[in-house]
Amino acid sequence: MKAGTALNTRLDHHNPLVFDTHELGRRPGAMQRLSREISAPADLGIAGVIGVPEGTPLRLKLRLESVMEGVLVTGTVRGSAAGECVRCLEAVERELKADFQEMFSYPDADDRSRSAEPADDAEDDEDTLFLEDGLFDLEPVLRDVVVLALPMQPVCREDCLGLCPDCGLSLNDDPDHHHDAVDIRWAALQGLVTDQGVEKDNMSGTASDGVQGAAEKQEK
């Protein structure tokens, strides 16, 4: 779920998703509350299904707590998501609200844990998010929590009827819409019956013409 370490890149404090913890300090128990409205980054959501449109507002409320290992960040993100109904392909909008909690560790705290537990699993290291010069980047956490908060199969309404499989008409507009289906096993027989009916009609027409002709001769 997490995006791994970010120690090999310098964080840009001008980025609205990068937060500064210098004011919080490193005294365990210190707390700071922050509110920030940002523009949604690109590709935030489930690709091709539903997501937060780039540039639309996201509202963040955060609580930063200083602990021995680093800074514990607890927060809520709110916004609006847009997508497409998987049944009828109509536009879908959803209000997004997601809670999250993440630990951002001090790099030196990681060094201390290594000396205390030399057999640490490398996979745990990959899942650890670190502070960099007192800064942390919330974007990887935000991307994960938004994906988990959004429906994998969004629908415009719970009882959406979807589309007609034969012609693509929305069944929500015409619930009684249907096509008369013919069993393919009887299709050939139906054609045979139709051909015989036409032939019979032709024979009847010929017979009628013959009778009429005979009657005309008799009158003469």
Side-chain angles (χ1 to χ4, degrees):
M1 175 179 173
K2 301 173 187 175
T5 62
L7 293 179
N8 56 343
T9 58
R10 289 192 61 83
L11 297 180
D12 180 5
H13 67 279
H14 295 296
N15 184 334
L17 283 170
V18 171
F19 292 82
D20 192 335
T21 66
H22 286 98
E23 185 177 340
L24 176 68
R26 294 187 60 162
R27 180 173 60 84
M31 183 183 300
Q32 183 181 12
R33 295 184 183 274
L34 300 171
S35 294
R36 183 177 294 184
E37 184 171 301
I38 66 166
S39 296
D43 304 320
L44 183 61
I46 305 171
V49 180
I50 190 170
V52 181
E54 182 178 1
T56 57
L58 286 175
R59 297 174 296 281
L60 295 169
K61 285 191 175 181
L62 305 179
R63 184 183 68 201
L64 280 54
E65 298 177 75
S66 180
V67 295
M68 290 293 295
E69 298 85 0
V71 175
L72 181 64
V73 179
T74 305
T76 300
V77 57
R78 296 176 183 268
S80 297
E84 195 175 74
C85 176
V86 296
R87 297 179 189 170
C88 70
L89 307 182
E90 290 293 325
V92 171
E93 292 187 358
R94 289 285 183 273
E95 289 300 312
L96 169 70
K97 178 181 180 294
D99 300 321
F100 56 90
Q101 187 173 73
E102 192 64 65
M103 169 69 76
F104 289 87
S105 299
Y106 298 123
D108 55 347
D110 184 60
D111 294 338
R112 289 196 301 270
S113 66
R114 286 179 180 278
S115 61
E117 301 178 17
D120 277 351
D121 193 347
E123 185 176 342
D124 293 337
D125 294 340
E126 293 178 359
D127 287 339
T128 302
L129 295 176
F130 289 99
L131 290 162
E132 180 183 330
D133 297 330
L135 304 174
F136 67 85
D137 184 5
L138 196 63
E139 183 171 343
V141 178
L142 189 63
R143 289 189 177 279
D144 288 343
V145 74
V146 166
V147 167
L148 292 176
L150 293 174
M152 294 294 295
Q153 294 187 317
V155 291
C156 59
R157 66 189 200 207
E158 291 301 323
D159 60 346
C160 175
L161 298 175
L163 301 176
C164 172
D166 295 318
C167 67
L169 178 76
S170 174
L171 298 178
N172 295 320
D173 298 332
D174 185 4
D176 296 325
H177 172 79
H178 69 281
H179 296 268
D180 293 329
V182 177
D183 193 323
I184 59 174
R185 294 172 297 178
W186 297 100
L189 180 59
Q190 184 180 27
L192 180 61
V193 171
T194 302
D195 293 341
Q196 288 179 345
V198 172
E199 184 178 351
K200 184 177 181 180
D201 289 341
N202 292 335
M203 292 177 62
S204 298
T206 303
S208 298
D209 292 343
V211 171
Q212 185 177 0
E216 289 176 353
K217 288 180 179 181
Q218 189 174 12
E219 288 177 357
K220 291 179 180 178

PDB file of all heavy atoms in Angstrom, residues 109-125:
ATOM      1  N   ALA A 109      16.055   7.398  13.469  1.00  0.00           N
ATOM      2  CA  ALA A 109      15.294   6.400  14.227  1.00  0.00           C
ATOM      3  C   ALA A 109      15.407   5.044  13.548  1.00  0.00           C
ATOM      4  O   ALA A 109      15.498   4.009  14.198  1.00  0.00           O
ATOM      5  CB  ALA A 109      13.831   6.814  14.328  1.00  0.00           C
ATOM      6  N   ASP A 110      15.437   5.052  12.211  1.00  0.00           N
ATOM      7  CA  ASP A 110      15.626   3.805  11.473  1.00  0.00           C
ATOM      8  C   ASP A 110      16.993   3.210  11.755  1.00  0.00           C
ATOM      9  O   ASP A 110      17.141   2.005  11.893  1.00  0.00           O
ATOM     10  CB  ASP A 110      15.466   4.084   9.964  1.00  0.00           C
ATOM     11  CG  ASP A 110      15.551   2.814   9.142  1.00  0.00           C
ATOM     12  OD1 ASP A 110      14.725   1.917   9.361  1.00  0.00           O
ATOM     13  OD2 ASP A 110      16.454   2.731   8.295  1.00  0.00           O
ATOM     14  N   ASP A 111      18.025   4.067  11.878  1.00  0.00           N
ATOM     15  CA  ASP A 111      19.361   3.574  12.198  1.00  0.00           C
ATOM     16  C   ASP A 111      19.395   2.922  13.570  1.00  0.00           C
ATOM     17  O   ASP A 111      20.020   1.886  13.770  1.00  0.00           O
ATOM     18  CB  ASP A 111      20.370   4.728  12.149  1.00  0.00           C
ATOM     19  CG  ASP A 111      20.535   5.274  10.729  1.00  0.00           C
ATOM     20  OD1 ASP A 111      20.227   4.525   9.785  1.00  0.00           O
ATOM     21  OD2 ASP A 111      20.951   6.438  10.593  1.00  0.00           O
ATOM     22  N   ARG A 112      18.679   3.539  14.540  1.00  0.00           N
ATOM     23  CA  ARG A 112      18.652   2.970  15.883  1.00  0.00           C
ATOM     24  C   ARG A 112      17.966   1.615  15.895  1.00  0.00           C
ATOM     25  O   ARG A 112      18.390   0.685  16.566  1.00  0.00           O
ATOM     26  CB  ARG A 112      17.939   3.921  16.850  1.00  0.00           C
ATOM     27  CG  ARG A 112      18.721   5.183  17.180  1.00  0.00           C
ATOM     28  CD  ARG A 112      18.161   5.868  18.413  1.00  0.00           C
ATOM     29  NE  ARG A 112      16.763   6.240  18.239  1.00  0.00           N
ATOM     30  CZ  ARG A 112      16.360   7.401  17.742  1.00  0.00           C
ATOM     31  NH1 ARG A 112      17.248   8.294  17.335  1.00  0.00           N
ATOM     32  NH2 ARG A 112      15.077   7.668  17.634  1.00  0.00           N
ATOM     33  N   SER A 113      16.882   1.494  15.100  1.00  0.00           N
ATOM     34  CA  SER A 113      16.156   0.215  15.074  1.00  0.00           C
ATOM     35  C   SER A 113      17.011  -0.875  14.434  1.00  0.00           C
ATOM     36  O   SER A 113      16.935  -2.033  14.802  1.00  0.00           O
ATOM     37  CB  SER A 113      14.828   0.369  14.322  1.00  0.00           C
ATOM     38  OG  SER A 113      15.060   0.639  12.953  1.00  0.00           O
ATOM     39  N   ARG A 114      17.847  -0.491  13.471  1.00  0.00           N
ATOM     40  CA  ARG A 114      18.727  -1.478  12.850  1.00  0.00           C
ATOM     41  C   ARG A 114      19.744  -2.022  13.843  1.00  0.00           C
ATOM     42  O   ARG A 114      20.029  -3.204  13.865  1.00  0.00           O
ATOM     43  CB  ARG A 114      19.453  -0.855  11.656  1.00  0.00           C
ATOM     44  CG  ARG A 114      18.577  -0.662  10.436  1.00  0.00           C
ATOM     45  CD  ARG A 114      19.364  -0.019   9.308  1.00  0.00           C
ATOM     46  NE  ARG A 114      18.548   0.182   8.137  1.00  0.00           N
ATOM     47  CZ  ARG A 114      18.265  -0.725   7.234  1.00  0.00           C
ATOM     48  NH1 ARG A 114      18.756  -1.942   7.379  1.00  0.00           N
ATOM     49  NH2 ARG A 114      17.504  -0.456   6.190  1.00  0.00           N
ATOM     50  N   SER A 115      20.290  -1.143  14.670  1.00  0.00           N
ATOM     51  CA  SER A 115      21.295  -1.589  15.635  1.00  0.00           C
ATOM     52  C   SER A 115      20.660  -2.445  16.714  1.00  0.00           C
ATOM     53  O   SER A 115      21.272  -3.378  17.229  1.00  0.00           O
ATOM     54  CB  SER A 115      21.994  -0.381  16.267  1.00  0.00           C
ATOM     55  OG  SER A 115      21.052   0.427  16.956  1.00  0.00           O
ATOM     56  N   ALA A 116      19.392  -2.155  17.046  1.00  0.00           N
ATOM     57  CA  ALA A 116      18.716  -2.930  18.083  1.00  0.00           C
ATOM     58  C   ALA A 116      18.217  -4.262  17.538  1.00  0.00           C
ATOM     59  O   ALA A 116      18.175  -5.264  18.233  1.00  0.00           O
ATOM     60  CB  ALA A 116      17.537  -2.134  18.658  1.00  0.00           C
ATOM     61  N   GLU A 117      17.806  -4.275  16.256  1.00  0.00           N
ATOM     62  CA  GLU A 117      17.270  -5.484  15.646  1.00  0.00           C
ATOM     63  C   GLU A 117      17.964  -5.721  14.314  1.00  0.00           C
ATOM     64  O   GLU A 117      17.442  -5.359  13.251  1.00  0.00           O
ATOM     65  CB  GLU A 117      15.759  -5.351  15.448  1.00  0.00           C
ATOM     66  CG  GLU A 117      14.994  -5.104  16.744  1.00  0.00           C
ATOM     67  CD  GLU A 117      13.510  -4.938  16.480  1.00  0.00           C
ATOM     68  OE1 GLU A 117      13.056  -5.329  15.382  1.00  0.00           O
ATOM     69  OE2 GLU A 117      12.812  -4.432  17.346  1.00  0.00           O
ATOM     70  N   PRO A 118      19.150  -6.310  14.319  1.00  0.00           N
ATOM     71  CA  PRO A 118      19.914  -6.476  13.082  1.00  0.00           C
ATOM     72  C   PRO A 118      19.248  -7.399  12.076  1.00  0.00           C
ATOM     73  O   PRO A 118      19.621  -7.418  10.911  1.00  0.00           O
ATOM     74  CB  PRO A 118      21.238  -7.081  13.570  1.00  0.00           C
ATOM     75  CG  PRO A 118      20.912  -7.708  14.894  1.00  0.00           C
ATOM     76  CD  PRO A 118      19.851  -6.846  15.497  1.00  0.00           C
ATOM     77  N   ALA A 119      18.255  -8.156  12.494  1.00  0.00           N
ATOM     78  CA  ALA A 119      17.613  -9.107  11.581  1.00  0.00           C
ATOM     79  C   ALA A 119      16.331  -8.539  10.978  1.00  0.00           C
ATOM     80  O   ALA A 119      15.454  -9.266  10.553  1.00  0.00           O
ATOM     81  CB  ALA A 119      17.293 -10.408  12.327  1.00  0.00           C
ATOM     82  N   ASP A 120      16.198  -7.241  10.934  1.00  0.00           N
ATOM     83  CA  ASP A 120      14.995  -6.615  10.360  1.00  0.00           C
ATOM     84  C   ASP A 120      14.758  -7.096   8.937  1.00  0.00           C
ATOM     85  O   ASP A 120      15.698  -7.260   8.158  1.00  0.00           O
ATOM     86  CB  ASP A 120      15.127  -5.092  10.346  1.00  0.00           C
ATOM     87  CG  ASP A 120      14.745  -4.484  11.686  1.00  0.00           C
ATOM     88  OD1 ASP A 120      14.235  -5.215  12.549  1.00  0.00           O
ATOM     89  OD2 ASP A 120      14.964  -3.287  11.845  1.00  0.00           O
ATOM     90  N   ASP A 121      13.510  -7.270   8.593  1.00  0.00           N
ATOM     91  CA  ASP A 121      13.149  -7.713   7.254  1.00  0.00           C
ATOM     92  C   ASP A 121      13.283  -6.548   6.279  1.00  0.00           C
ATOM     93  O   ASP A 121      12.806  -5.446   6.517  1.00  0.00           O
ATOM     94  CB  ASP A 121      11.699  -8.228   7.274  1.00  0.00           C
ATOM     95  CG  ASP A 121      11.351  -8.986   6.005  1.00  0.00           C
ATOM     96  OD1 ASP A 121      12.130  -8.906   5.038  1.00  0.00           O
ATOM     97  OD2 ASP A 121      10.307  -9.644   5.992  1.00  0.00           O
ATOM     98  N   ALA A 122      13.913  -6.788   5.125  1.00  0.00           N
ATOM     99  CA  ALA A 122      14.082  -5.731   4.121  1.00  0.00           C
ATOM    100  C   ALA A 122      12.744  -5.255   3.589  1.00  0.00           C
ATOM    101  O   ALA A 122      12.593  -4.100   3.190  1.00  0.00           O
ATOM    102  CB  ALA A 122      14.947  -6.244   2.966  1.00  0.00           C
ATOM    103  N   GLU A 123      11.750  -6.128   3.599  1.00  0.00           N
ATOM    104  CA  GLU A 123      10.430  -5.729   3.098  1.00  0.00           C
ATOM    105  C   GLU A 123       9.811  -4.651   3.979  1.00  0.00           C
ATOM    106  O   GLU A 123       9.133  -3.745   3.488  1.00  0.00           O
ATOM    107  CB  GLU A 123       9.516  -6.955   3.054  1.00  0.00           C
ATOM    108  CG  GLU A 123       8.162  -6.668   2.431  1.00  0.00           C
ATOM    109  CD  GLU A 123       7.313  -7.913   2.303  1.00  0.00           C
ATOM    110  OE1 GLU A 123       7.891  -9.016   2.369  1.00  0.00           O
ATOM    111  OE2 GLU A 123       6.090  -7.783   2.139  1.00  0.00           O
ATOM    112  N   ASP A 124      10.058  -4.704   5.289  1.00  0.00           N
ATOM    113  CA  ASP A 124       9.568  -3.677   6.198  1.00  0.00           C
ATOM    114  C   ASP A 124      10.195  -2.330   5.867  1.00  0.00           C
ATOM    115  O   ASP A 124       9.550  -1.286   5.967  1.00  0.00           O
ATOM    116  CB  ASP A 124       9.870  -4.054   7.650  1.00  0.00           C
ATOM    117  CG  ASP A 124       9.068  -5.280   8.082  1.00  0.00           C
ATOM    118  OD1 ASP A 124       8.019  -5.541   7.454  1.00  0.00           O
ATOM    119  OD2 ASP A 124       9.489  -5.961   9.032  1.00  0.00           O
ATOM    120  N   ASP A 125      11.474  -2.323   5.480  1.00  0.00           N
ATOM    121  CA  ASP A 125      12.152  -1.084   5.115  1.00  0.00           C
ATOM    122  C   ASP A 125      11.494  -0.442   3.897  1.00  0.00           C
ATOM    123  O   ASP A 125      11.356   0.776   3.811  1.00  0.00           O
ATOM    124  CB  ASP A 125      13.633  -1.353   4.811  1.00  0.00           C
ATOM    125  CG  ASP A 125      14.396  -1.796   6.057  1.00  0.00           C
ATOM    126  OD1 ASP A 125      13.904  -1.522   7.170  1.00  0.00           O
ATOM    127  OD2 ASP A 125      15.466  -2.414   5.905  1.00  0.00           O
TER     128      ASP A 125
END
